[in-house]
Structures are given as structure tokens and as C-alpha cells.
Amino acid sequence: KMKADLDDVILQKGMGNVDSDVQFDGFLSKASDVAAPFFTAANSTREITMAGIHERDMFLSLSSAAVQAMAGVFVESWDDALVIKALDGLYNASQICLYFKLYDQFNEILSLLLGYAHDYVTSVTALLLSESLNDSDFSTEDFPPISKYFLAKLKSGQFKNPVVHFGPEDVVGSAAHRGLMSLDCALMLCKSNLSAINESW
């Protein structure tokens, strides 16, 4: 098909009877001019360099928009796995802030997380109170259980446990209890980085 199309182009350009085989071979000969690919060997030593002022400036230029985007996904999404990934992103951003000693930005992330936690605790308290007074059609039984992912994380005492792998069924309930996950993340950051906290929330 490609060869036939090339013959049509040659005739339309008024090139007359040109040997199409020669023309087509010349057209494909440019493929041999491509440089050979280079791959890094799997066992090669990779030099690890520390992030510097350029990386800090780049992070500063992107951090505000990135944090707001991740926070929006964390609050609005009802996809359990996506909620976990958004919270991971906020946690990673806080760690970068600590590395670069950007304590104002760190406290902004912490304030977001504690705000979500406050809303969650307030809502659960109101729900339990209304249920005890029997003045609500909504019951705590309508809530999905806390995810196995979060319970395993609490047991490990770490925010991330790369050794443990979870399936889709293990994260069910994460979106419904995102405020609880946010509270856990915020308290863990507070516990580990008290000197970076600017004020009492």
C-alpha cells in the first residue's frame, strides 16, 4: 500500500516513469541513518546526588498547585485506591518540605490534613449522637467498614509499608473513612516533626 501511494505521488509530481522500486528503496534507506540506541546496564552503579537549590526552587514553583490538586482528589474522589494515592502524595510533599526546610509549606499541608480530620470527627460525633437519639434515618450500619489496608498500617506503626501488598478488596472503605486516614497521617507527621510545627492548630 505504501509503495502504491508513493507511485501515485511520483506521477502527480510529473516525475514521469521513474523506477518505483529504486525510489521506494531510497525512501526507506533513511532508516539506516538512525543512531543505535544506548541502554544503561541493569547492574551499573547509579550515582545518587543530593537535591540542591535548583530542585528546591522547582519544588517551590510547583508545590502550591500540586498540593491543591492532590487535596482536591483526596476530598472529592470516591475511588478508594485513588484516595489512598492522593494521601500518599500529600505525605510525600510534606517530606520534601521537611527535606528543604520549607516549614511554612509543611504547616500548610498539616493544616489541610487536620482540617479534614476535624470534619470527619465532627460528622461521626453528630451521627452517633443523632443515632442515640433516634432522630436520624441514617445509621452507622450504612457506613462501610474501615479498610484492611488502614488497619494493617495502624498495626505496623508506619505510614508506608512497602513490604505489604494489598489487593483492591483490601482498600474498600478508604474513601468513606478518608478523614480518619487524614487524622492518622497528620498525627504521625506531628509526632515525628514537632520542631517543624509553627503553631498549635
Side-chain angles (χ1 to χ4, degrees):
K1 177 75 169 83
M2 189 178 205
K3 183 177 178 181
D5 291 343
L6 187 59
D7 289 342
D8 292 340
V9 171
I10 293 171
L11 291 174
Q12 289 175 6
K13 294 295 183 181
M15 298 174 67
N17 295 325
V18 179
D19 188 344
S20 59
D21 290 334
V22 174
Q23 187 71 21
F24 191 68
D25 290 340
F27 179 71
L28 293 179
S29 66
K30 293 184 179 179
S32 62
D33 297 335
V34 177
F38 175 78
F39 299 98
T40 304
N43 60 352
S44 63
T45 305
R46 292 180 175 84
E47 182 181 356
I48 299 176
T49 57
M50 302 297 288
I53 188 67
H54 299 298
E55 288 78 13
R56 179 182 183 275
D57 291 343
M58 184 180 295
F59 176 75
L60 270 175
S61 66
L62 299 173
S63 61
S64 179
V67 166
Q68 291 302 320
M70 290 184 288
V73 171
F74 181 72
V75 172
E76 300 294 337
S77 177
W78 281 97
D79 184 303
D80 294 308
L82 194 56
V83 167
I84 290 175
K85 290 179 181 179
L87 185 60
D88 283 350
L90 291 170
Y91 177 83
N92 291 337
S94 71
Q95 296 303 298
I96 297 172
C97 290
L98 291 170
Y99 176 81
F100 288 125
K101 295 182 171 56
L102 300 172
Y103 298 129
D104 288 341
Q105 287 77 8
F106 170 78
N107 280 270
E108 288 176 10
I109 296 172
L110 192 59
S111 181
L112 280 174
L113 295 173
L114 288 170
Y116 303 145
H118 176 268
D119 293 341
Y120 177 82
V121 172
T122 302
S123 299
V124 170
T125 303
L127 176 61
L128 292 173
L129 181 61
S130 64
E131 191 177 55
S132 64
L133 296 175
N134 296 319
D135 62 353
S136 175
D137 295 331
F138 192 74
S139 169
T140 52
E141 296 179 357
D142 298 321
F143 259 99
I146 297 174
S147 67
K148 296 178 182 177
Y149 162 84
F150 181 68
L151 293 175
K153 190 174 67 64
L154 284 179
K155 187 176 181 180
S156 71
Q158 300 177 358
F159 183 77
K160 291 186 176 181
N161 189 351
V163 177
V164 180
H165 298 283
F166 296 93
E169 69 281 356
D170 297 322
V171 300
V172 173
S174 297
H177 298 282
R178 72 191 80 205
L180 182 61
M181 295 171 59
S182 179
L183 177 62
D184 172 67
C185 181
L187 292 178
M188 191 168 292
L189 288 172
C190 290
K191 179 181 177 182
S192 304
N193 307 283
L194 284 174
S195 61
I197 299 174
N198 290 341
E199 58 185 20
S200 176
W201 189 80

